[in-house]
Amino acid sequence: VSVDVTQPTSGTSTNLTGDLTSSLGNSGTATAALAVTGATAPTFVKAFVPATIVQGEVSTLTFTIDNAAAAVEASALAFSDTFPSGMTIASTPGATTTCSSGSLNAAAGTNMFSYSGGTVSSGASCQVSVNVTATSVQTYANTSGDLTSSLGNSGTASASLSVTASTAPGFSGRYTPPSIPQGGISRLTLTIDNSGASISAGSLGFTVNLPSGVTVDNSPRKIGPTSLPDASSTCNGSVTAVGGSTSVSLSGGTVAA
């Protein structure tokens, strides 16, 4: 007589039967011992996708918990990850998991992420993901804390995110109107275009030397009690445009991404 049995916990189980009786009498009992070895803890790895971003862009950090080698589920999954300085959870954290249940802690702008209370089935794997960003040009080497579960300690997971420099803002100028009579007035507009970047550009600065014979208009306009040349900026910072001078400059400006 044969039957399949299983044991969800490790250890040795000794089985003692009742007596075997038959028409020929009592055969007594039978004993057998079953040794059950503990299942290995799930493997734990992580990856940034993409692994290289431009300053201010977003990469998805995914942790994979693989329980394929075990015949029992791993419950009470828990780990945390503190990011290197300069790396943070993105403004849209997008924290998700394919593990059963569990609690995700992922606040935008912070440098720490955690997951606890999850379960992965036997012979299966699951993932935990969060969006991250970084603004400094460098390679961020990131190692998580240990993954622990009902099957033991899986250790840490490591991966690196490389951040490359954003392109410099575009810079162009135009006169409006482009043609004037002698002594007429044209407006010079200098445009700083940062639309191709994912981060703001600060410390903007430039000096424009006007062509020979061209000067900043000397007709003042009033701002409160102060008379100033007709110069303006949407870039913050300090604009220098003195009436009658031959140059225009900006310092300390900023432009958003």
Side-chain angles (χ1 to χ4, degrees):
V1 178
S2 298
V3 63
D4 292 331
V5 298
T6 187
Q7 170 63 288
T9 58
S10 60
T12 300
S13 298
T14 300
N15 178 223
L16 175 65
T17 71
D19 290 347
L20 167 66
T21 59
S22 69
S23 59
L24 300 182
N26 190 318
S27 301
T29 60
T31 60
L34 176 66
V36 180
T37 57
T40 57
T43 61
F44 186 43
V45 297
K46 64 189 288 189
F48 292 97
V49 179
T52 300
I53 61 172
V54 175
Q55 290 172 287
E57 290 185 343
V58 173
S59 178
T60 299
L61 173 57
T62 298
F63 302 84
T64 299
I65 301 168
D66 188 351
N67 198 37
V72 292
E73 69 177 21
S75 60
L77 297 169
F79 70 89
S80 63
D81 193 355
T82 300
F83 305 142
S85 177
M87 181 190 298
T88 59
I89 294 175
S91 57
T92 301
T96 60
T97 182
T98 61
C99 303
S100 298
S101 63
S103 176
L104 293 161
N105 180 18
T110 64
N111 71 335
M112 198 276 286
F113 171 75
S114 65
Y115 176 67
S116 61
T119 299
V120 57
S121 300
S122 60
S125 64
C126 64
Q127 294 182 322
V128 180
S129 298
V130 64
N131 294 329
V132 299
T133 189
T135 56
S136 296
V137 177
Q138 66 181 80
T139 296
Y140 295 86
N142 176 221
T143 298
S144 72
D146 290 346
L147 168 68
T148 58
S149 71
S150 59
L151 298 184
N153 190 317
S154 300
T156 62
S158 297
S160 293
L161 176 67
S162 295
V163 180
T164 59
S166 179
T167 56
F171 190 39
S172 61
R174 72 177 188 277
Y175 288 100
T176 306
S179 177
I180 59 173
Q182 287 179 294
I185 296 175
S186 178
R187 188 166 189 83
L188 172 60
T189 299
L190 299 157
T191 300
I192 301 167
D193 183 1
N194 198 38
S195 59
S198 297
I199 59 172
S200 62
S203 301
L204 296 173
F206 64 81
T207 297
V208 176
N209 293 312
L210 300 174
S212 177
V214 177
T215 61
V216 175
D217 177 33
N218 204 28
S219 302
R221 64 187 176 93
K222 287 283 188 180
I223 299 181
T226 305
S227 295
L228 295 173
D230 190 15
S232 63
S233 173
T234 60
C235 305
N236 302 313
S238 177
V239 177
T240 300
V242 178
S245 68
T246 59
S247 66
V248 177
S249 65
L250 170 72
S251 62
T254 58
V255 58

mmCIF file with all atom_site columns, all heavy atoms in Angstrom, residues 119-148:
data_model
loop_
_atom_site.group_PDB
_atom_site.id
_atom_site.type_symbol
_atom_site.label_atom_id
_atom_site.label_alt_id
_atom_site.label_comp_id
_atom_site.label_asym_id
_atom_site.label_entity_id
_atom_site.label_seq_id
_atom_site.pdbx_PDB_ins_code
_atom_site.Cartn_x
_atom_site.Cartn_y
_atom_site.Cartn_z
_atom_site.occupancy
_atom_site.B_iso_or_equiv
_atom_site.pdbx_formal_charge
_atom_site.auth_seq_id
_atom_site.auth_comp_id
_atom_site.auth_asym_id
_atom_site.auth_atom_id
_atom_site.pdbx_PDB_model_num
ATOM 1   N N   . THR A 1 119 ? 3.977  37.818 0.282   1.00 0.00 ? 119 THR A N   1
ATOM 2   C CA  . THR A 1 119 ? 4.102  36.359 0.120   1.00 0.00 ? 119 THR A CA  1
ATOM 3   C C   . THR A 1 119 ? 4.378  36.036 -1.333  1.00 0.00 ? 119 THR A C   1
ATOM 4   O O   . THR A 1 119 ? 3.811  36.655 -2.230  1.00 0.00 ? 119 THR A O   1
ATOM 5   C CB  . THR A 1 119 ? 2.810  35.648 0.567   1.00 0.00 ? 119 THR A CB  1
ATOM 6   O OG1 . THR A 1 119 ? 2.567  35.906 1.952   1.00 0.00 ? 119 THR A OG1 1
ATOM 7   C CG2 . THR A 1 119 ? 2.904  34.130 0.339   1.00 0.00 ? 119 THR A CG2 1
ATOM 8   N N   . VAL A 1 120 ? 5.254  35.056 -1.572  1.00 0.00 ? 120 VAL A N   1
ATOM 9   C CA  . VAL A 1 120 ? 5.465  34.527 -2.916  1.00 0.00 ? 120 VAL A CA  1
ATOM 10  C C   . VAL A 1 120 ? 5.204  33.023 -2.858  1.00 0.00 ? 120 VAL A C   1
ATOM 11  O O   . VAL A 1 120 ? 5.672  32.324 -1.954  1.00 0.00 ? 120 VAL A O   1
ATOM 12  C CB  . VAL A 1 120 ? 6.888  34.839 -3.441  1.00 0.00 ? 120 VAL A CB  1
ATOM 13  C CG1 . VAL A 1 120 ? 7.977  34.312 -2.525  1.00 0.00 ? 120 VAL A CG1 1
ATOM 14  C CG2 . VAL A 1 120 ? 7.059  34.304 -4.857  1.00 0.00 ? 120 VAL A CG2 1
ATOM 15  N N   . SER A 1 121 ? 4.444  32.527 -3.810  1.00 0.00 ? 121 SER A N   1
ATOM 16  C CA  . SER A 1 121 ? 4.041  31.120 -3.813  1.00 0.00 ? 121 SER A CA  1
ATOM 17  C C   . SER A 1 121 ? 5.221  30.198 -4.071  1.00 0.00 ? 121 SER A C   1
ATOM 18  O O   . SER A 1 121 ? 6.271  30.619 -4.579  1.00 0.00 ? 121 SER A O   1
ATOM 19  C CB  . SER A 1 121 ? 2.973  30.890 -4.884  1.00 0.00 ? 121 SER A CB  1
ATOM 20  O OG  . SER A 1 121 ? 1.831  31.675 -4.650  1.00 0.00 ? 121 SER A OG  1
ATOM 21  N N   . SER A 1 122 ? 5.029  28.932 -3.739  1.00 0.00 ? 122 SER A N   1
ATOM 22  C CA  . SER A 1 122 ? 6.058  27.940 -4.039  1.00 0.00 ? 122 SER A CA  1
ATOM 23  C C   . SER A 1 122 ? 6.233  27.819 -5.549  1.00 0.00 ? 122 SER A C   1
ATOM 24  O O   . SER A 1 122 ? 5.273  27.937 -6.314  1.00 0.00 ? 122 SER A O   1
ATOM 25  C CB  . SER A 1 122 ? 5.657  26.583 -3.458  1.00 0.00 ? 122 SER A CB  1
ATOM 26  O OG  . SER A 1 122 ? 4.416  26.150 -4.022  1.00 0.00 ? 122 SER A OG  1
ATOM 27  N N   . GLY A 1 123 ? 7.474  27.618 -5.985  1.00 0.00 ? 123 GLY A N   1
ATOM 28  C CA  . GLY A 1 123 ? 7.747  27.438 -7.404  1.00 0.00 ? 123 GLY A CA  1
ATOM 29  C C   . GLY A 1 123 ? 7.480  28.670 -8.248  1.00 0.00 ? 123 GLY A C   1
ATOM 30  O O   . GLY A 1 123 ? 7.361  28.571 -9.473  1.00 0.00 ? 123 GLY A O   1
ATOM 31  N N   . ALA A 1 124 ? 7.402  29.840 -7.639  1.00 0.00 ? 124 ALA A N   1
ATOM 32  C CA  . ALA A 1 124 ? 7.046  31.066 -8.373  1.00 0.00 ? 124 ALA A CA  1
ATOM 33  C C   . ALA A 1 124 ? 8.000  32.197 -8.006  1.00 0.00 ? 124 ALA A C   1
ATOM 34  O O   . ALA A 1 124 ? 8.845  32.079 -7.121  1.00 0.00 ? 124 ALA A O   1
ATOM 35  C CB  . ALA A 1 124 ? 5.605  31.467 -8.063  1.00 0.00 ? 124 ALA A CB  1
ATOM 36  N N   . SER A 1 125 ? 7.845  33.299 -8.712  1.00 0.00 ? 125 SER A N   1
ATOM 37  C CA  . SER A 1 125 ? 8.608  34.506 -8.390  1.00 0.00 ? 125 SER A CA  1
ATOM 38  C C   . SER A 1 125 ? 7.662  35.697 -8.432  1.00 0.00 ? 125 SER A C   1
ATOM 39  O O   . SER A 1 125 ? 6.574  35.624 -9.018  1.00 0.00 ? 125 SER A O   1
ATOM 40  C CB  . SER A 1 125 ? 9.764  34.707 -9.365  1.00 0.00 ? 125 SER A CB  1
ATOM 41  O OG  . SER A 1 125 ? 9.281  34.928 -10.677 1.00 0.00 ? 125 SER A OG  1
ATOM 42  N N   . CYS A 1 126 ? 8.065  36.811 -7.829  1.00 0.00 ? 126 CYS A N   1
ATOM 43  C CA  . CYS A 1 126 ? 7.275  38.037 -7.873  1.00 0.00 ? 126 CYS A CA  1
ATOM 44  C C   . CYS A 1 126 ? 8.223  39.233 -7.873  1.00 0.00 ? 126 CYS A C   1
ATOM 45  O O   . CYS A 1 126 ? 9.423  39.089 -7.607  1.00 0.00 ? 126 CYS A O   1
ATOM 46  C CB  . CYS A 1 126 ? 6.274  38.115 -6.719  1.00 0.00 ? 126 CYS A CB  1
ATOM 47  S SG  . CYS A 1 126 ? 7.014  38.207 -5.067  1.00 0.00 ? 126 CYS A SG  1
ATOM 48  N N   . GLN A 1 127 ? 7.687  40.387 -8.186  1.00 0.00 ? 127 GLN A N   1
ATOM 49  C CA  . GLN A 1 127 ? 8.511  41.588 -8.307  1.00 0.00 ? 127 GLN A CA  1
ATOM 50  C C   . GLN A 1 127 ? 7.918  42.754 -7.519  1.00 0.00 ? 127 GLN A C   1
ATOM 51  O O   . GLN A 1 127 ? 6.697  42.844 -7.343  1.00 0.00 ? 127 GLN A O   1
ATOM 52  C CB  . GLN A 1 127 ? 8.659  41.982 -9.774  1.00 0.00 ? 127 GLN A CB  1
ATOM 53  C CG  . GLN A 1 127 ? 9.438  40.964 -10.602 1.00 0.00 ? 127 GLN A CG  1
ATOM 54  C CD  . GLN A 1 127 ? 9.617  41.405 -12.041 1.00 0.00 ? 127 GLN A CD  1
ATOM 55  O OE1 . GLN A 1 127 ? 8.708  41.990 -12.642 1.00 0.00 ? 127 GLN A OE1 1
ATOM 56  N NE2 . GLN A 1 127 ? 10.770 41.114 -12.622 1.00 0.00 ? 127 GLN A NE2 1
ATOM 57  N N   . VAL A 1 128 ? 8.810  43.639 -7.098  1.00 0.00 ? 128 VAL A N   1
ATOM 58  C CA  . VAL A 1 128 ? 8.443  44.890 -6.442  1.00 0.00 ? 128 VAL A CA  1
ATOM 59  C C   . VAL A 1 128 ? 9.169  46.007 -7.183  1.00 0.00 ? 128 VAL A C   1
ATOM 60  O O   . VAL A 1 128 ? 10.384 45.916 -7.408  1.00 0.00 ? 128 VAL A O   1
ATOM 61  C CB  . VAL A 1 128 ? 8.850  44.893 -4.958  1.00 0.00 ? 128 VAL A CB  1
ATOM 62  C CG1 . VAL A 1 128 ? 8.467  46.210 -4.298  1.00 0.00 ? 128 VAL A CG1 1
ATOM 63  C CG2 . VAL A 1 128 ? 8.223  43.711 -4.218  1.00 0.00 ? 128 VAL A CG2 1
ATOM 64  N N   . SER A 1 129 ? 8.443  47.055 -7.600  1.00 0.00 ? 129 SER A N   1
ATOM 65  C CA  . SER A 1 129 ? 9.040  48.106 -8.431  1.00 0.00 ? 129 SER A CA  1
ATOM 66  C C   . SER A 1 129 ? 8.719  49.494 -7.901  1.00 0.00 ? 129 SER A C   1
ATOM 67  O O   . SER A 1 129 ? 7.677  49.712 -7.280  1.00 0.00 ? 129 SER A O   1
ATOM 68  C CB  . SER A 1 129 ? 8.535  48.004 -9.877  1.00 0.00 ? 129 SER A CB  1
ATOM 69  O OG  . SER A 1 129 ? 8.906  46.780 -10.472 1.00 0.00 ? 129 SER A OG  1
ATOM 70  N N   . VAL A 1 130 ? 9.636  50.443 -8.188  1.00 0.00 ? 130 VAL A N   1
ATOM 71  C CA  . VAL A 1 130 ? 9.430  51.841 -7.826  1.00 0.00 ? 130 VAL A CA  1
ATOM 72  C C   . VAL A 1 130 ? 10.231 52.703 -8.804  1.00 0.00 ? 130 VAL A C   1
ATOM 73  O O   . VAL A 1 130 ? 11.284 52.298 -9.292  1.00 0.00 ? 130 VAL A O   1
ATOM 74  C CB  . VAL A 1 130 ? 9.872  52.114 -6.366  1.00 0.00 ? 130 VAL A CB  1
ATOM 75  C CG1 . VAL A 1 130 ? 11.368 51.885 -6.181  1.00 0.00 ? 130 VAL A CG1 1
ATOM 76  C CG2 . VAL A 1 130 ? 9.466  53.503 -5.918  1.00 0.00 ? 130 VAL A CG2 1
ATOM 77  N N   . ASN A 1 131 ? 9.718  53.897 -9.105  1.00 0.00 ? 131 ASN A N   1
ATOM 78  C CA  . ASN A 1 131 ? 10.408 54.821 -10.008 1.00 0.00 ? 131 ASN A CA  1
ATOM 79  C C   . ASN A 1 131 ? 11.371 55.701 -9.217  1.00 0.00 ? 131 ASN A C   1
ATOM 80  O O   . ASN A 1 131 ? 11.017 56.234 -8.165  1.00 0.00 ? 131 ASN A O   1
ATOM 81  C CB  . ASN A 1 131 ? 9.403  55.714 -10.739 1.00 0.00 ? 131 ASN A CB  1
ATOM 82  C CG  . ASN A 1 131 ? 8.531  54.928 -11.685 1.00 0.00 ? 131 ASN A CG  1
ATOM 83  O OD1 . ASN A 1 131 ? 8.948  53.913 -12.245 1.00 0.00 ? 131 ASN A OD1 1
ATOM 84  N ND2 . ASN A 1 131 ? 7.310  55.382 -11.882 1.00 0.00 ? 131 ASN A ND2 1
ATOM 85  N N   . VAL A 1 132 ? 12.582 55.868 -9.757  1.00 0.00 ? 132 VAL A N   1
ATOM 86  C CA  . VAL A 1 132 ? 13.586 56.700 -9.095  1.00 0.00 ? 132 VAL A CA  1
ATOM 87  C C   . VAL A 1 132 ? 14.159 57.697 -10.099 1.00 0.00 ? 132 VAL A C   1
ATOM 88  O O   . VAL A 1 132 ? 14.023 57.548 -11.310 1.00 0.00 ? 132 VAL A O   1
ATOM 89  C CB  . VAL A 1 132 ? 14.728 55.847 -8.498  1.00 0.00 ? 132 VAL A CB  1
ATOM 90  C CG1 . VAL A 1 132 ? 14.187 54.887 -7.457  1.00 0.00 ? 132 VAL A CG1 1
ATOM 91  C CG2 . VAL A 1 132 ? 15.481 55.093 -9.594  1.00 0.00 ? 132 VAL A CG2 1
ATOM 92  N N   . THR A 1 133 ? 14.817 58.732 -9.568  1.00 0.00 ? 133 THR A N   1
ATOM 93  C CA  . THR A 1 133 ? 15.459 59.734 -10.416 1.00 0.00 ? 133 THR A CA  1
ATOM 94  C C   . THR A 1 133 ? 16.720 60.228 -9.730  1.00 0.00 ? 133 THR A C   1
ATOM 95  O O   . THR A 1 133 ? 16.912 60.018 -8.519  1.00 0.00 ? 133 THR A O   1
ATOM 96  C CB  . THR A 1 133 ? 14.501 60.913 -10.705 1.00 0.00 ? 133 THR A CB  1
ATOM 97  O OG1 . THR A 1 133 ? 15.080 61.769 -11.689 1.00 0.00 ? 133 THR A OG1 1
ATOM 98  C CG2 . THR A 1 133 ? 14.202 61.707 -9.445  1.00 0.00 ? 133 THR A CG2 1
ATOM 99  N N   . ALA A 1 134 ? 17.581 60.907 -10.496 1.00 0.00 ? 134 ALA A N   1
ATOM 100 C CA  . ALA A 1 134 ? 18.814 61.484 -9.950  1.00 0.00 ? 134 ALA A CA  1
ATOM 101 C C   . ALA A 1 134 ? 19.243 62.636 -10.844 1.00 0.00 ? 134 ALA A C   1
ATOM 102 O O   . ALA A 1 134 ? 18.968 62.643 -12.046 1.00 0.00 ? 134 ALA A O   1
ATOM 103 C CB  . ALA A 1 134 ? 19.916 60.434 -9.858  1.00 0.00 ? 134 ALA A CB  1
ATOM 104 N N   . THR A 1 135 ? 19.915 63.623 -10.253 1.00 0.00 ? 135 THR A N   1
ATOM 105 C CA  . THR A 1 135 ? 20.281 64.820 -11.009 1.00 0.00 ? 135 THR A CA  1
ATOM 106 C C   . THR A 1 135 ? 21.779 65.017 -11.171 1.00 0.00 ? 135 THR A C   1
ATOM 107 O O   . THR A 1 135 ? 22.201 65.782 -12.028 1.00 0.00 ? 135 THR A O   1
ATOM 108 C CB  . THR A 1 135 ? 19.710 66.078 -10.337 1.00 0.00 ? 135 THR A CB  1
ATOM 109 O OG1 . THR A 1 135 ? 20.172 66.132 -8.981  1.00 0.00 ? 135 THR A OG1 1
ATOM 110 C CG2 . THR A 1 135 ? 18.180 66.047 -10.344 1.00 0.00 ? 135 THR A CG2 1
ATOM 111 N N   . SER A 1 136 ? 22.602 64.350 -10.370 1.00 0.00 ? 136 SER A N   1
ATOM 112 C CA  . SER A 1 136 ? 24.052 64.508 -10.480 1.00 0.00 ? 136 SER A CA  1
ATOM 113 C C   . SER A 1 136 ? 24.622 63.528 -11.495 1.00 0.00 ? 136 SER A C   1
ATOM 114 O O   . SER A 1 136 ? 24.192 62.374 -11.574 1.00 0.00 ? 136 SER A O   1
ATOM 115 C CB  . SER A 1 136 ? 24.728 64.276 -9.125  1.00 0.00 ? 136 SER A CB  1
ATOM 116 O OG  . SER A 1 136 ? 24.321 65.245 -8.186  1.00 0.00 ? 136 SER A OG  1
ATOM 117 N N   . VAL A 1 137 ? 25.599 63.998 -12.266 1.00 0.00 ? 137 VAL A N   1
ATOM 118 C CA  . VAL A 1 137 ? 26.234 63.147 -13.273 1.00 0.00 ? 137 VAL A CA  1
ATOM 119 C C   . VAL A 1 137 ? 27.224 62.224 -12.575 1.00 0.00 ? 137 VAL A C   1
ATOM 120 O O   . VAL A 1 137 ? 28.293 62.654 -12.126 1.00 0.00 ? 137 VAL A O   1
ATOM 121 C CB  . VAL A 1 137 ? 26.946 63.995 -14.340 1.00 0.00 ? 137 VAL A CB  1
ATOM 122 C CG1 . VAL A 1 137 ? 27.662 63.107 -15.343 1.00 0.00 ? 137 VAL A CG1 1
ATOM 123 C CG2 . VAL A 1 137 ? 25.949 64.899 -15.051 1.00 0.00 ? 137 VAL A CG2 1
ATOM 124 N N   . GLN A 1 138 ? 26.874 60.955 -12.465 1.00 0.00 ? 138 GLN A N   1
ATOM 125 C CA  . GLN A 1 138 ? 27.721 59.962 -11.822 1.00 0.00 ? 138 GLN A CA  1
ATOM 126 C C   . GLN A 1 138 ? 27.068 58.588 -11.949 1.00 0.00 ? 138 GLN A C   1
ATOM 127 O O   . GLN A 1 138 ? 25.969 58.455 -12.467 1.00 0.00 ? 138 GLN A O   1
ATOM 128 C CB  . GLN A 1 138 ? 27.937 60.291 -10.346 1.00 0.00 ? 138 GLN A CB  1
ATOM 129 C CG  . GLN A 1 138 ? 26.668 60.207 -9.487  1.00 0.00 ? 138 GLN A CG  1
ATOM 130 C CD  . GLN A 1 138 ? 26.932 60.560 -8.047  1.00 0.00 ? 138 GLN A CD  1
ATOM 131 O OE1 . GLN A 1 138 ? 27.018 61.720 -7.689  1.00 0.00 ? 138 GLN A OE1 1
ATOM 132 N NE2 . GLN A 1 138 ? 27.065 59.551 -7.208  1.00 0.00 ? 138 GLN A NE2 1
ATOM 133 N N   . THR A 1 139 ? 27.753 57.569 -11.452 1.00 0.00 ? 139 THR A N   1
ATOM 134 C CA  . THR A 1 139 ? 27.181 56.234 -11.360 1.00 0.00 ? 139 THR A CA  1
ATOM 135 C C   . THR A 1 139 ? 26.832 55.963 -9.909  1.00 0.00 ? 139 THR A C   1
ATOM 136 O O   . THR A 1 139 ? 27.683 56.065 -9.020  1.00 0.00 ? 139 THR A O   1
ATOM 137 C CB  . THR A 1 139 ? 28.160 55.167 -11.876 1.00 0.00 ? 139 THR A CB  1
ATOM 138 O OG1 . THR A 1 139 ? 28.390 55.384 -13.274 1.00 0.00 ? 139 THR A OG1 1
ATOM 139 C CG2 . THR A 1 139 ? 27.580 53.761 -11.697 1.00 0.00 ? 139 THR A CG2 1
ATOM 140 N N   . TYR A 1 140 ? 25.568 55.649 -9.665  1.00 0.00 ? 140 TYR A N   1
ATOM 141 C CA  . TYR A 1 140 ? 25.070 55.382 -8.320  1.00 0.00 ? 140 TYR A CA  1
ATOM 142 C C   . TYR A 1 140 ? 25.068 53.868 -8.074  1.00 0.00 ? 140 TYR A C   1
ATOM 143 O O   . TYR A 1 140 ? 24.288 53.132 -8.691  1.00 0.00 ? 140 TYR A O   1
ATOM 144 C CB  . TYR A 1 140 ? 23.658 55.917 -8.148  1.00 0.00 ? 140 TYR A CB  1
ATOM 145 C CG  . TYR A 1 140 ? 23.533 57.418 -8.235  1.00 0.00 ? 140 TYR A CG  1
ATOM 146 C CD1 . TYR A 1 140 ? 23.390 58.053 -9.462  1.00 0.00 ? 140 TYR A CD1 1
ATOM 147 C CD2 . TYR A 1 140 ? 23.543 58.200 -7.082  1.00 0.00 ? 140 TYR A CD2 1
ATOM 148 C CE1 . TYR A 1 140 ? 23.269 59.437 -9.544  1.00 0.00 ? 140 TYR A CE1 1
ATOM 149 C CE2 . TYR A 1 140 ? 23.414 59.588 -7.151  1.00 0.00 ? 140 TYR A CE2 1
ATOM 150 C CZ  . TYR A 1 140 ? 23.287 60.197 -8.387  1.00 0.00 ? 140 TYR A CZ  1
ATOM 151 O OH  . TYR A 1 140 ? 23.166 61.561 -8.469  1.00 0.00 ? 140 TYR A OH  1
ATOM 152 N N   . ALA A 1 141 ? 25.938 53.381 -7.197  1.00 0.00 ? 141 ALA A N   1
ATOM 153 C CA  . ALA A 1 141 ? 25.949 51.977 -6.794  1.00 0.00 ? 141 ALA A CA  1
ATOM 154 C C   . ALA A 1 141 ? 25.010 51.825 -5.596  1.00 0.00 ? 141 ALA A C   1
ATOM 155 O O   . ALA A 1 141 ? 25.173 52.498 -4.591  1.00 0.00 ? 141 ALA A O   1
ATOM 156 C CB  . ALA A 1 141 ? 27.353 51.530 -6.439  1.00 0.00 ? 141 ALA A CB  1
ATOM 157 N N   . ASN A 1 142 ? 24.038 50.943 -5.738  1.00 0.00 ? 142 ASN A N   1
ATOM 158 C CA  . ASN A 1 142 ? 22.989 50.829 -4.725  1.00 0.00 ? 142 ASN A CA  1
ATOM 159 C C   . ASN A 1 142 ? 22.847 49.386 -4.246  1.00 0.00 ? 142 ASN A C   1
ATOM 160 O O   . ASN A 1 142 ? 22.655 48.483 -5.052  1.00 0.00 ? 142 ASN A O   1
ATOM 161 C CB  . ASN A 1 142 ? 21.667 51.325 -5.319  1.00 0.00 ? 142 ASN A CB  1
ATOM 162 C CG  . ASN A 1 142 ? 20.493 51.163 -4.379  1.00 0.00 ? 142 ASN A CG  1
ATOM 163 O OD1 . ASN A 1 142 ? 19.412 50.787 -4.806  1.00 0.00 ? 142 ASN A OD1 1
ATOM 164 N ND2 . ASN A 1 142 ? 20.675 51.428 -3.100  1.00 0.00 ? 142 ASN A ND2 1
ATOM 165 N N   . THR A 1 143 ? 22.973 49.178 -2.950  1.00 0.00 ? 143 THR A N   1
ATOM 166 C CA  . THR A 1 143 ? 22.782 47.857 -2.342  1.00 0.00 ? 143 THR A CA  1
ATOM 167 C C   . THR A 1 143 ? 21.671 47.958 -1.313  1.00 0.00 ? 143 THR A C   1
ATOM 168 O O   . THR A 1 143 ? 21.680 48.831 -0.440  1.00 0.00 ? 143 THR A O   1
ATOM 169 C CB  . THR A 1 143 ? 24.069 47.357 -1.671  1.00 0.00 ? 143 THR A CB  1
ATOM 170 O OG1 . THR A 1 143 ? 25.091 47.212 -2.665  1.00 0.00 ? 143 THR A OG1 1
ATOM 171 C CG2 . THR A 1 143 ? 23.844 46.009 -0.999  1.00 0.00 ? 143 THR A CG2 1
ATOM 172 N N   . SER A 1 144 ? 20.706 47.063 -1.424  1.00 0.00 ? 144 SER A N   1
ATOM 173 C CA  . SER A 1 144 ? 19.555 47.069 -0.519  1.00 0.00 ? 144 SER A CA  1
ATOM 174 C C   . SER A 1 144 ? 19.917 46.453 0.823   1.00 0.00 ? 144 SER A C   1
ATOM 175 O O   . SER A 1 144 ? 21.004 45.892 1.009   1.00 0.00 ? 144 SER A O   1
ATOM 176 C CB  . SER A 1 144 ? 18.410 46.267 -1.139  1.00 0.00 ? 144 SER A CB  1
ATOM 177 O OG  . SER A 1 144 ? 18.729 44.881 -1.096  1.00 0.00 ? 144 SER A OG  1
ATOM 178 N N   . GLY A 1 145 ? 18.962 46.522 1.749   1.00 0.00 ? 145 GLY A N   1
ATOM 179 C CA  . GLY A 1 145 ? 19.065 45.741 2.961   1.00 0.00 ? 145 GLY A CA  1
ATOM 180 C C   . GLY A 1 145 ? 18.709 44.285 2.672   1.00 0.00 ? 145 GLY A C   1
ATOM 181 O O   . GLY A 1 145 ? 18.326 43.923 1.550   1.00 0.00 ? 145 GLY A O   1
ATOM 182 N N   . ASP A 1 146 ? 18.825 43.425 3.675   1.00 0.00 ? 146 ASP A N   1
ATOM 183 C CA  . ASP A 1 146 ? 18.518 42.005 3.502   1.00 0.00 ? 146 ASP A CA  1
ATOM 184 C C   . ASP A 1 146 ? 17.027 41.786 3.245   1.00 0.00 ? 146 ASP A C   1
ATOM 185 O O   . ASP A 1 146 ? 16.174 42.463 3.831   1.00 0.00 ? 146 ASP A O   1
ATOM 186 C CB  . ASP A 1 146 ? 18.894 41.213 4.756   1.00 0.00 ? 146 ASP A CB  1
ATOM 187 C CG  . ASP A 1 146 ? 20.400 41.114 4.963   1.00 0.00 ? 146 ASP A CG  1
ATOM 188 O OD1 . ASP A 1 146 ? 21.150 41.423 4.019   1.00 0.00 ? 146 ASP A OD1 1
ATOM 189 O OD2 . ASP A 1 146 ? 20.814 40.735 6.077   1.00 0.00 ? 146 ASP A OD2 1
ATOM 190 N N   . LEU A 1 147 ? 16.736 40.823 2.377   1.00 0.00 ? 147 LEU A N   1
ATOM 191 C CA  . LEU A 1 147 ? 15.372 40.319 2.238   1.00 0.00 ? 147 LEU A CA  1
ATOM 192 C C   . LEU A 1 147 ? 15.197 39.174 3.225   1.00 0.00 ? 147 LEU A C   1
ATOM 193 O O   . LEU A 1 147 ? 15.938 38.184 3.192   1.00 0.00 ? 147 LEU A O   1
ATOM 194 C CB  . LEU A 1 147 ? 15.126 39.809 0.819   1.00 0.00 ? 147 LEU A CB  1
ATOM 195 C CG  . LEU A 1 147 ? 13.841 38.991 0.631   1.00 0.00 ? 147 LEU A CG  1
ATOM 196 C CD1 . LEU A 1 147 ? 12.599 39.859 0.804   1.00 0.00 ? 147 LEU A CD1 1
ATOM 197 C CD2 . LEU A 1 147 ? 13.820 38.305 -0.738  1.00 0.00 ? 147 LEU A CD2 1
ATOM 198 N N   . THR A 1 148 ? 14.232 39.313 4.117   1.00 0.00 ? 148 THR A N   1
ATOM 199 C CA  . THR A 1 148 ? 13.934 38.242 5.062   1.00 0.00 ? 148 THR A CA  1
ATOM 200 C C   . THR A 1 148 ? 12.537 37.701 4.782   1.00 0.00 ? 148 THR A C   1
ATOM 201 O O   . THR A 1 148 ? 11.680 38.399 4.231   1.00 0.00 ? 148 THR A O   1
ATOM 202 C CB  . THR A 1 148 ? 14.019 38.741 6.514   1.00 0.00 ? 148 THR A CB  1
ATOM 203 O OG1 . THR A 1 148 ? 13.104 39.835 6.687   1.00 0.00 ? 148 THR A OG1 1
ATOM 204 C CG2 . THR A 1 148 ? 15.428 39.215 6.845   1.00 0.00 ? 148 THR A CG2 1
#
